[in-house]
Amino acid sequence: MKIAVIGGGAAGMMFSTQYKKANPNDEVFVFEKSQYVAWAGCPTPYYIADELSFNDVVLGTPEDFIKRGVNVKTLHKVTDIDFKNKTLNIEGNDINGIFEYDKLVIAVGAKSFVPNIDGYSENLENVFTLSHAEHAIKIKEYINDNKDKIKKAVVVGAGFIGLETAEAFNIKNLEVTVVEKADRIFPTVSENLKSEIYESIEKHGLTLKLNSGVNKIISENNIAKSVQLDNGENLDFDIALFSIGITPNIEFISSELKTENRKIIVNDKFETNLPDVYAIGDCIFNKFYHTDRNLYAPFGDVANKHGILLAKYLSGQNISWKGLLRSFATSFYDIKLAQTGLSLEEAQSLGYNAEKIEMRAMYKNSGFKDSFPIKTEIIYDKDKKVLLGGAMVGKEAVAQFIDQIAIVITLETPIEKFIEIDFAYSPTNASVWNPLLVTYRKVIK
């Protein structure tokens, strides 16, 4: 068996190593167009801020995987796929031309999406996107090489990467303006929970402009000077990041492959509509857990799960990918935000008899000077008495509490069973009242 994998990111490398381990006599070829494999996108803002090292972004070398029996080919670009004849057209040094395969795994990841903005060009020296380790290296090098000249930064897009990179620019002593076309950040999270993030943005001296789209970039000699907003305002800058969103790298793939909104459609075995063709990672649609709703979730942990499960399936195991709850966590300086499942508005719009529980959770005894309450909202179904979602903002343990909520949603654990969970407790490590226990007290009368 000869398996070709297009893309050497988290999904591609996880699949390749796990499959090769289970099937040592099969050949696995990974074609990666960049010079890096096993790179992680989520840590890149912290690499730019000098808080993480390069080894925290690129987690292995091609040689590391070659030693495990995986034929890794970096700087090899797949330009075309002939699905009928099972061949790839490849441009590279070791392989240049037609490559035959038995099964194909598409793990091409995604790239930053930049809309049709007047004056935008990939050739602008000081305008960047951030969806790959290569981009992070270029941004960091540009700042270091021009540290005496760079004073102002503009970040277009206030999503995860946008705000995290705005923090990185701020740490690098730049004057930062964040521009967001929508009227809020993190739209699925209630405004009540986000107040501390807005306060932290102001506290650290960043400017956040909501309801502000960019319609023009003004440049001179390939150096951008300013952006013009929809309202006519001009913002001068020395470096800019466009972090509006990402879209799968599938422009070279023919229309034979079924897609929706430029995401590849797969079933619960990661099979596409074409025989012997599979897709994993940031280029596919997942399902929102227990529903038929498509959900795009370009996260590193999700990509790794895809790789593990597909390797098991192609090794003969019976697996089924159930989907996701859209769990996420992010932070801005010391303020952390996490969410899983449905918001109250989403739950009600889907027909649930949903209600919200508000509380202040604690991750240690409230008497300690460094103990700060976590603002919490938990969504539950009043009829079935099960959780539907939750969101938290605080300084510690936010993601860990949200993980607990994700577990009981996934297992469909009735709220009445929460009293039976044996939570760990000590004044320095955990509150006596876990948020799930508080939920039990508020719901079960």
Side-chain angles (χ1 to χ4, degrees):
M1 178 83 73
K2 183 191 290 185
I3 296 184
V5 180
I6 309 176
M13 298 316 299
M14 181 58 72
F15 165 80
S16 300
T17 53
Q18 295 299 305
Y19 182 85
K20 184 64 179 180
K21 183 178 180 180
N23 305 274
N25 295 325
D26 288 354
E27 292 184 284
V28 180
F29 285 81
V30 176
F31 299 105
E32 167 58 44
K33 64 182 179 180
S34 78
Q35 61 181 311
Y36 302 110
V37 294
W39 53 271
C42 297
T44 52
Y46 306 101
Y47 166 71
I48 294 170
D50 296 322
E51 295 181 325
L52 291 177
S53 72
F54 181 73
N55 291 333
D56 295 309
V57 174
V58 177
L59 308 176
T61 67
E63 291 73 25
D64 293 333
F65 296 97
I66 290 171
K67 289 177 182 177
R68 301 186 206 179
V70 180
N71 297 301
V72 178
K73 303 295 181 183
T74 56
L75 300 176
H76 279 66
K77 183 179 181 180
V78 177
T79 60
D80 189 40
I81 306 173
D82 185 336
F83 293 111
K84 182 179 180 180
N85 294 305
K86 292 189 173 182
T87 62
L88 307 177
N89 191 52
I90 298 173
E91 294 179 354
N93 290 329
D94 294 341
I95 299 175
N96 193 63
I98 300 300
F99 180 88
E100 297 180 348
Y101 65 83
D102 296 309
K103 292 184 183 294
L104 176 64
V105 177
I106 300 173
V108 291
K111 61 184 178 181
S112 296
F113 167 73
V114 179
N116 187 21
I117 295 175
D118 186 18
Y120 175 80
S121 169
E122 293 182 355
N123 296 323
L124 292 171
E125 294 180 17
N126 60 335
V127 176
F128 299 91
T129 58
L130 183 55
S131 60
H132 196 284
E134 288 185 325
H135 303 147
I137 293 169
K138 290 178 181 178
I139 292 170
K140 188 167 184 172
E141 287 179 348
Y142 188 82
I143 292 174
N144 291 339
D145 292 345
N146 299 276
K147 55 186 175 183
D148 295 330
K149 302 177 184 177
I150 299 178
K151 305 298 181 185
K152 295 182 178 181
V154 166
V155 175
V156 183
F160 303 128
I161 294 294
L163 278 182
E164 290 164 5
T165 307
E167 177 185 331
F169 287 162
N170 189 242
I171 289 172
K172 303 291 274 186
N173 296 315
L174 302 184
E175 180 184 326
V176 184
T177 300
V178 180
V179 178
E180 170 57 51
K181 191 169 186 176
D183 62 353
R184 69 192 73 181
I185 61 175
F186 308 123
T188 62
V189 180
S190 74
E191 291 301 300
N192 175 53
L193 290 185
K194 291 181 290 192
S195 60
E196 293 182 33
I197 298 178
Y198 289 122
E199 290 168 5
S200 184
I201 290 171
E202 184 177 355
K203 170 186 171 184
H204 288 93
L206 288 83
T207 300
L208 174 62
K209 290 182 176 291
L210 300 174
N211 294 304
S212 300
V214 172
N215 61 23
K216 187 176 184 180
I217 299 176
I218 301 166
S219 61
E220 183 179 325
N221 298 324
N222 280 339
I223 301 291
K225 302 294 184 180
S226 64
V227 291
Q228 185 181 83
L229 305 184
D230 292 339
N231 63 4
E233 179 183 2
N234 284 318
L235 298 176
D236 296 335
F237 65 84
D238 304 303
I239 186 172
L241 174 76
F242 276 73
S243 185
I244 298 172
I246 62 173
T247 185
N249 286 306
I250 61 172
E251 60 278 349
F252 69 97
I253 300 176
S254 73
S255 59
E256 297 172 73
L257 191 68
K258 185 179 179 181
T259 63
E260 183 178 323
N261 293 330
R262 290 186 52 81
K263 284 87 173 175
I264 300 172
I265 301 297
V266 297
N267 63 13
D268 65 340
K269 314 294 184 187
F270 302 101
E271 296 168 323
T272 69
N273 63 304
L274 302 174
D276 295 324
V277 179
Y278 309 84
I280 53 178
D282 293 357
C283 60
I284 74 168
F285 259 137
N286 295 272
K287 293 296 183 184
F288 204 107
Y289 199 75
H290 284 323
T291 75
D292 290 326
R293 297 164 56 211
N294 284 331
L295 172 66
Y296 188 49
F299 302 123
D301 61 324
V302 175
N304 280 311
K305 290 178 184 177
H306 290 176
I308 290 171
L309 290 175
L310 180 58
K312 289 180 181 295
Y313 178 61
L314 293 187
S315 299
Q317 296 187 37
N318 183 24
I319 63 95
S320 179
W321 175 238
K322 302 295 186 183
L324 298 162
L325 290 172
R326 196 185 55 199
S327 301
F328 73 82
T330 187
S331 64
F332 186 80
Y333 280 94
D334 61 340
I335 303 300
K336 305 178 190 304
L337 164 68
Q339 185 182 35
T340 190
L342 301 171
S343 69
L344 178 62
E345 292 75 15
E346 289 173 324
Q348 290 175 340
S349 70
L350 290 171
Y352 290 100
N353 184 14
E355 191 167 294
K356 176 171 65 177
I357 297 171
E358 296 180 308
M359 68 182 78
R360 288 185 174 267
M362 302 300 300
Y363 54 88
K364 64 195 308 185
N365 189 290
S366 60
F368 288 106
K369 293 181 179 179
D370 61 346
S371 178
F372 297 94
I374 299 170
K375 294 170 67 174
T376 303
E377 293 182 356
I378 293 178
I379 313 304
Y380 75 101
D381 185 325
K382 294 173 64 178
D383 298 327
K384 295 183 178 180
K385 299 284 193 301
V386 294
L387 297 196
L388 301 173
M392 295 185 175
V393 174
K395 293 190 175 183
E396 294 290 343
V398 170
Q400 290 75 15
F401 280 142
I402 285 295
D403 285 344
Q404 294 176 9
I405 295 172
I407 290 170
V408 297
I409 295 175
T410 301
L411 298 180
E412 298 181 304
T413 307
I415 295 174
E416 65 182 14
K417 299 283 286 185
F418 292 178
I419 193 70
E420 300 176 21
I421 301 174
D422 188 12
F423 296 104
Y425 164 64
S426 91
T428 58
N429 292 288
S431 167
V432 70
W433 290 113
N434 182 283
L436 294 181
L437 282 180
V438 177
T439 300
Y440 169 86
R441 291 183 62 189
K442 288 179 176 290
V443 174
I444 306 301
K445 305 299 184 182

